[in-house]
Amino acid sequence: MALSVLPLHKHQEYLNDCCDLINDEWKRSKTARLHSLQNSCDNLPTSLILLEEKKLVGHLKLSVIPSKKNACFVESVVIERSHRGKGYGTVLMKEAEAYCKLTLGLDTVYLSTRGQEEFYVKLGYIECMPVSIYGNYVFSNAAPLPVSDNNSIIKTCVTGNIPLPPPLPIFKNVKEKIFMKKAL
Ligand code: ACO
């Protein structure tokens, strides 16, 4: 089967199919999804689509990382369910990496995943520190908790004796988000 990888914004006729493909994996309002996909452009963000002949079978999005000018962030990698396990994800990722290097002039690709690490390791990705596509690096958002003289955690805020909020619920079976990168 002939496979091709193309920028979505140059093939708007696939906009609806692409929306349905992504929403089949990660539910979101169609309006919001279409709006996001319509932002695809020659500079980032760019959505790339994988076609088998003329049928849309895959998608990924390349986004800006504000703190890293020579890199981008790969998101929303998805292959249509019945086409998984046939090497299509590999084709899409490799073509996207070539696009990043040759068309966009980038030298590194970052991504995050919950549970698909093995797929990316096979493509040469290695685990790395978190990066943020919203601002600067995110090493840790947690400020250290105040500690009392006897070393126990103080249960109230330092100012105003306001009680601390209850701890966040621990969700079982939610996999840890792993950040990965690959030098191109
Ligand atoms: N766990 C372990 N190994 C995997 C996985 C996995 N989840 N997925 C693929 N592989 C392996 C395959 O067995 C294959 O190994 P081999 O070369 O030894 O035979 C190799 O990776 C390549 O597999 P492909 O057939 O190229 O992968 P596929 O076309 O199935 O696409 C993808 C993989 C994109 C993860 C697909 O399964 C999918 O769409 N999943 C649902 C959406 C998803 O989770 N996307 C990733 C989100 S993370 C992100 O967007 C950055």
Side-chain angles (χ1 to χ4, degrees):
M1 283 285 186
L3 297 177
S4 48
V5 174
L6 305 166
L8 176 61
H9 55 280
K10 293 193 174 153
H11 299 272
Q12 298 268 336
E13 67 274 22
Y14 289 103
L15 208 51
N16 261 303
D17 287 353
C18 193
C19 183
D20 293 343
L21 171 73
I22 305 169
N23 270 7
D24 185 47
E25 192 67 38
W26 300 290
K27 290 274 171 283
R28 191 177 172 191
S29 97
K30 188 152 185 166
T31 311
R33 184 71 73 191
L34 279 173
H35 180 72
S36 164
L37 289 171
Q38 278 163 338
N39 287 333
S40 178
C41 61
D42 279 345
N43 299 315
L44 302 174
T46 307
S47 280
L48 297 179
I49 51 173
L50 176 69
L51 302 183
E52 181 196 69
E53 306 293 344
K54 289 187 173 172
K55 180 180 162 43
L56 184 132
V57 292
H59 164 272
L60 61 73
K61 180 181 174 185
L62 308 170
S63 292
V64 167
I65 304 174
S67 62
K68 294 179 183 293
K69 295 295 166 222
N70 294 324
C72 72
F73 199 78
V74 182
E75 304 177 83
S76 306
V77 182
V78 61
I79 298 295
E80 197 270 326
R81 289 176 194 277
S82 66
H83 291 79
R84 290 178 194 167
K86 301 199 295 184
Y88 284 25
T90 301
V91 170
L92 177 58
M93 285 299 296
K94 288 196 167 162
E95 286 294 316
E97 289 163 9
Y99 183 87
C100 289
K101 185 174 179 175
L102 304 174
T103 306
L104 300 176
L106 304 177
D107 61 28
T108 314
V109 171
Y110 289 82
L111 56 83
S112 69
T113 177
R114 288 181 205 271
Q116 309 286 0
E117 301 85 83
E118 240 177 274
F119 169 64
Y120 295 111
V121 165
K122 285 186 171 168
L123 287 164
Y125 287 76
I126 55 167
E127 197 171 337
C128 68
M129 295 296 287
V131 292
S132 171
I133 55 170
Y134 304 110
N136 286 325
Y137 295 96
V138 184
F139 288 118
S140 169
N141 285 328
L145 287 168
V147 176
S148 71
D149 287 346
N150 67 2
N151 234 14
S152 63
I153 304 292
I154 295 171
K155 292 272 190 264
T156 54
C157 289
V158 179
T159 53
N161 277 351
I162 303 164
L164 290 170
L168 290 170
I170 296 166
F171 297 104
K172 287 193 178 145
N173 302 324
V174 175
K175 292 201 174 95
E176 192 191 346
K177 190 191 267 191
I178 306 284
F179 284 80
M180 306 184 88
K181 71 173 181 180
K182 181 176 178 179
L184 300 176

